[in-house]
Amino acid sequence: MTSRLSGRVALVTGAGRGLGAAHARMLAAAGAAVVVNDLSVTAAGDPDPDRDVAARTVAQIRRAGGTAVADWSDIAEFTGAQRAVDCALSAFGRLDIAVNNAGILSNTTLSELTSTELCRHLQVAVLGSAGIAKAALVPMRRQRYGRIVNTVSEAALRTGHHAGPAYAAAKSALWGLTMALADETAGSGVTVNALSPGALTRMSREHLARAGQPIDLAPEHVSRVLLALVDESAADISGRVIHAAGTAVREYRLQRTADTPLVARLVAAGFE
């Protein structure tokens, strides 16, 4: 245990296992009191027979000397997201860090995709993240301090990831949400960033097995980068997208440029 985040309160969604659990444990080890939110669903978003994943993470944190409470709110609706934030305020009196980690995964192709499945992905990843941010910004703005971190994916940032269109679309929307919230919170003491993780979890296991998983992709490597993003010293970092996989850390930067072969080809074709 350290005192790096002593006095701070963090809420992590989807924190019952995998990457979210690693985030919660590391935040607690740094001194933060943590709300472990997890509805207990399968990777595809169906009800999971294991209904105690949030409580299990809380128990791990407490055994290590940390402070945590469990929350089972369904953040896919604004009312549920508000309940998760209210849990932090009720248990600890404040909220300083919100980590939007909850998500579901399917590889359904567009020809087989239903509107229900697409909407469920958007509800969990986008509506859930927006709802948590909306509720969290009330106390964060009041105290003029806050750190919000959204979880995107390389499936939204490049080709070759082979995720389904529902998952990719939801994660792409989170990029836009991150940029809009960074603009909205500028000068308020609140930062908003996105983290693109490369970590071996139940959601990524199949994809990484196909890719060969050449490096150590322990979730804790990503959590260390998260810790840096939510630190008090990171007040000047907002509207950024960071990819963390193993010990590699990279920044995704989206910029317009006219100096590419494709632009030259399109311009030339337009004047034929």
Side-chain angles (χ1 to χ4, degrees):
M1 306 298 294
T2 72
S3 59
R4 182 173 178 178
L5 295 178
S6 179
R8 299 300 183 189
V9 176
L11 163 64
V12 185
T13 66
R17 52 193 145 197
L19 188 62
H23 289 341
R25 289 192 298 264
M26 192 159 291
L27 288 165
V34 182
V35 176
V36 176
N37 165 268
D38 202 300
L39 190 59
S40 292
V41 296
T42 66
D46 300 317
D48 195 321
D50 186 351
R51 305 298 296 172
D52 256 341
V53 294
R56 193 157 56 241
T57 300
V58 168
Q60 291 170 350
I61 290 172
R62 290 177 177 173
R63 281 197 300 270
T67 302
V69 296
D71 176 73
W72 295 270
S73 302
D74 184 356
I75 53 87
E77 297 290 344
F78 274 15
T79 53
Q82 182 67 61
R83 283 195 297 271
V85 169
D86 287 343
C87 178
L89 299 176
S90 175
F92 303 117
R94 60 184 295 128
L95 179 61
D96 304 284
I97 299 162
V99 182
N100 286 311
N101 171 76
I104 59 176
L105 174 67
S106 75
N107 294 316
T108 306
T109 62
L110 185 60
S111 62
E112 300 172 334
L113 184 65
T114 66
S115 59
T116 299
E117 184 177 350
L118 175 58
C119 286
R120 183 58 180 164
H121 275 78
L122 294 171
Q123 280 182 309
V124 176
V126 185
L127 196 152
S129 297
I132 290 290
K134 177 182 172 69
L137 278 173
V138 175
M140 287 180 178
R141 281 186 169 129
R142 187 166 56 241
Q143 66 202 20
R144 293 197 60 79
Y145 182 94
R147 303 285 185 265
I148 298 173
V149 180
N150 298 323
T151 305
V152 296
S153 167
E154 287 203 305
L157 308 176
R158 62 175 179 84
T159 59
H161 194 276
H162 305 299
Y167 179 79
K171 292 301 185 179
S172 297
L174 271 178
W175 178 301
L177 178 66
T178 301
M179 299 304 115
L181 292 181
D183 281 343
E184 186 173 326
T185 57
S188 69
V190 179
T191 66
V192 185
N193 294 287
L195 189 57
S196 165
L200 179 59
T201 67
R202 64 175 181 146
M203 293 184 69
S204 65
R205 189 174 292 112
E206 184 178 335
H207 167 70
L208 292 174
R210 288 195 303 267
Q213 191 198 333
I215 60 174
D216 172 17
L217 293 177
E220 288 74 17
H221 293 312
V222 182
S223 298
R224 279 190 279 272
V225 178
L226 171 74
L227 204 60
L229 285 174
V230 303
D231 195 78
E232 292 188 21
S233 64
D236 60 326
I237 304 173
S238 195
R240 314 299 277 269
V241 178
I242 304 300
H243 177 70
T247 57
V249 181
R250 307 175 182 92
E251 180 180 3
Y252 268 101
R253 302 178 67 181
L254 181 65
Q255 58 188 112
R256 294 176 293 181
T257 178
D259 186 21
T260 73
L262 176 58
V263 170
R265 175 183 169 185
L266 294 175
V267 170
F271 288 96
E272 286 183 351

